[in-house]
Amino acid sequence: MTQTHDLSATRMAAAVRTGEVSPVELADHYLARIERLNEQVGAYVTVTAERARDEARQAEKAVQDAADPADLPPLHGVPVPVKDLNMVDGVRFTIGSGVYAGLTGFADDNVVTLLRRAGSVLLGKTAAPEFGLPCYTEGDLGPPARTPWDLSRSAGGSSGGAAAAVASGLAPVAQGSDGGGSIRIPSSACGLFGIKPTRGRISQGPVIPDLFGLSTNGPIARTVGDAALLLDVMAGRMPGDLYAAPPVEGTFASYAGRPPGRLRIGRSREPAVPGAVVHPDCVAAYDAASELLVELGHEVVDMPPVFGPDLVPHFETLWAVMATITPVAGDSEHLLQPLTRWLRSRGEATTAPQVFQAHAALQGALRAAFPVMDEFDAILHPTLAEPPAPVGYFHDQEPAENFERQKRFTPFCAMYNISGQPAVNVPLHWNDDGLPIGIMLAGRLGGEGTLISLSAQLEEARPWIGRTPGIWTA
């Protein structure tokens, strides 16, 4: 029997407009599931039940009062949670840290403003690790974010709570963010489709700076069409943003219904991180995706390496400096996670010339890499080098070992944060243990439309929407 959370967000929005589904019914359904299941999957750190029901009642009245409900905004009445690295006015804002456990948001991030303008209903704030620094979601503020496909394993990070919510049926879609793979990593671990857009496609403001241009907001969803719809809602440049993405023709949602044509696709599974070894299950997913792309008529060729291990220290320099941006009073330092303290120590010891040298080295590498990458319409990689990791695999280690394990686990994602190119996780493969193993497709700058069309073609050829974890029917 179809349950409410079986509906796609696109179908849900249409059903709200016709009166087939009530926004109040939707909010109550998801809030009830959160109350029953959140402790198991660690998806939400804050649940805004009263606010959600109030917004749902307003949305329902708007449907009743509308002269033409078709004119209502695209996500009218659809529940969409916000990651706890993004500020929502009047809602608890922890940034994943015990240092900020008592902080209340004093403004809406631009992406939150756009989600509200689109008519969405806020269920709450999804769990994130401290300051969004690691590729897993564990800390002191709540239970670990776990993939519902195996509750002994991590949902990934830093958008781990967002992915756990969508994969467990605790939200139809979710907003996430990605500074080094933080949308694609949990999307792979949870069997979801996630988009890291082109740099400058979505505003980081007004509170979060975009100085290095590594991080961006983006959608996490069960279907390509839902992710494209959410990207349409969140996209937009705001005053003061340092970066601007190339314009797109039409809507992103329209690309989900367009055949991609015959594409030239480069592929590589050679990790840039020293010591990283691609697990056989991830190789199998990569090979199967390559074969499927050829079956669909695309040209798939091996791509020469464009990013080498010499760039890893430069990215580490920027990552450590980014860890220092969030202010922490001296008498609160002891509340930080060991990894955060270790990274901040490295960042604080970095000189201004070293930051500029790291930036210059990365830019120099991109100047050589883009002529090679731009020969392809899309580029295929494994999303991760390993299947979803056990809870504690990173977090229970000393910081230096923790960080090394993270690097070896996710050696492919960060290169596209450096370049600013769009990249997606496509959930095409599950291993013999029933764990999702994603593949990553990257595109040209401004090429989200091509990636969406190609991913929709893959989704049609190998549908994954019918695969759900056991908790889905709970």
Side-chain angles (χ1 to χ4, degrees):
M1 185 175 66
T2 300
Q3 302 181 83
T4 299
H5 57 278
D6 288 322
L7 298 175
S8 70
T10 303
R11 175 73 181 86
M12 207 173 278
V16 166
R17 289 189 187 87
T18 62
E20 180 184 349
V21 173
S22 155
V24 173
E25 176 190 345
L26 290 177
D28 284 343
H29 177 81
Y30 281 107
L31 289 170
R33 284 185 65 81
I34 292 167
E35 185 175 356
R36 290 200 309 275
L37 303 173
N38 188 56
E39 191 68 22
Q40 295 181 49
V41 297
Y44 289 84
V45 68
T46 300
V47 180
T48 54
E50 184 177 342
R51 175 172 176 158
R53 291 190 172 101
D54 182 57
E55 290 180 352
R57 284 191 291 268
Q58 294 178 46
E60 185 167 300
K61 186 175 188 305
V63 173
Q64 296 166 351
D65 294 346
D68 184 355
D71 294 333
L72 291 169
L75 289 175
H76 187 80
V78 177
V80 182
V82 170
K83 183 177 176 180
D84 205 28
L85 299 187
N86 292 83
M87 189 179 291
V88 178
D89 190 19
V91 176
R92 184 185 183 216
F93 179 50
T94 74
I95 327 177
S97 175
V99 173
Y100 288 97
L103 178 65
T104 297
F106 50 84
D108 281 342
D109 273 0
N110 289 335
V111 70
V112 174
T113 297
L114 293 174
L115 286 169
R116 293 181 65 181
R117 194 175 294 166
S120 68
V121 170
L122 180 70
L123 290 172
K125 303 293 291 294
T126 55
E130 193 162 63
F131 305 162
L133 295 171
C135 70
Y136 59 90
T137 305
E138 299 171 44
D140 297 331
L141 298 180
R146 303 172 185 269
T147 175
W149 297 93
D150 180 346
L151 293 175
S152 72
R153 294 179 183 261
S154 171
S158 64
S159 305
V166 176
S168 303
L170 307 189
V173 291
Q175 170 268 342
S177 57
D178 189 317
S182 291
I183 284 172
R184 292 158 287 160
I185 294 164
S187 293
S188 180
C190 293
L192 301 170
F193 183 75
I195 304 176
K196 183 204 86 69
T198 298
R199 177 179 293 146
R201 181 69 70 200
I202 299 175
S203 175
Q204 290 287 92
V207 178
I208 301 172
D210 52 4
L211 302 177
F212 295 155
L214 295 176
S215 186
T216 178
N217 292 280
I220 296 175
R222 295 170 59 223
T223 72
V224 175
D226 280 0
L229 173 62
L230 192 54
L231 181 57
D232 277 321
V233 165
M234 295 194 294
R237 188 168 185 265
M238 300 291 185
D241 290 348
L242 292 181
Y243 303 99
V248 62
E249 181 182 338
T251 66
F252 292 113
S254 70
Y255 282 91
R258 295 187 199 177
R262 188 172 191 266
L263 304 180
R264 187 165 192 261
I265 300 171
R267 69 170 199 160
S268 173
R269 62 175 177 90
E270 295 302 318
V273 174
V277 177
V278 183
H279 189 280
D281 290 343
C282 300
V283 173
Y286 169 85
D287 287 341
S290 300
E291 293 170 5
L292 178 56
L293 289 166
V294 171
E295 287 176 21
L296 293 171
H298 302 293
E299 178 188 7
V300 179
V301 299
D302 290 325
M303 187 182 79
V306 292
F307 296 107
D310 55 310
L311 297 184
V312 174
H314 300 304
F315 180 81
E316 288 186 39
T317 294
L318 298 187
W319 200 252
V321 171
M322 285 173 61
T324 70
I325 290 175
T326 306
V328 177
D331 59 357
S332 296
E333 288 276 348
H334 69 284
L335 296 174
L336 294 173
Q337 296 292 313
L339 176 70
T340 307
R341 290 199 300 271
W342 181 78
L343 284 169
R344 286 170 66 89
S345 176
R346 290 182 64 177
E348 289 161 356
T350 303
T351 65
Q354 288 171 327
V355 174
F356 282 112
Q357 288 162 6
H359 249 310
L362 293 173
Q363 185 182 16
L366 289 174
R367 284 177 167 155
F370 271 120
V372 177
M373 295 191 293
D374 283 346
E375 293 180 5
F376 303 101
D377 299 297
I379 300 170
L380 170 69
H381 303 280
T383 302
L384 299 172
E386 302 171 27
V391 170
Y393 174 74
F394 308 107
H395 192 62
D396 294 347
Q397 308 304 312
E398 291 299 315
E401 174 61 18
N402 177 337
F403 198 62
E404 286 302 313
R405 289 188 178 195
Q406 291 187 63
K407 286 160 53 181
R408 295 194 295 268
F409 181 68
T410 176
F412 299 102
C413 289
M415 66 179 76
Y416 295 109
N417 297 89
I418 294 169
S419 71
Q421 292 165 261
V424 301
N425 176 76
V426 188
L428 285 178
H429 189 77
W430 272 254
N431 69 8
D432 290 343
D433 294 325
L435 295 172
I437 309 289
I439 58 101
M440 182 168 65
L441 291 166
R444 296 189 180 103
L445 288 169
E448 292 97 323
T450 298
L451 294 181
I452 289 167
S453 292
L454 178 58
S455 299
Q457 184 185 51
L458 293 169
E459 181 182 31
E460 183 178 11
R462 298 286 189 275
W464 58 77
I465 190 66
R467 298 193 70 142
T468 55
I471 202 171
W472 190 262
T473 57

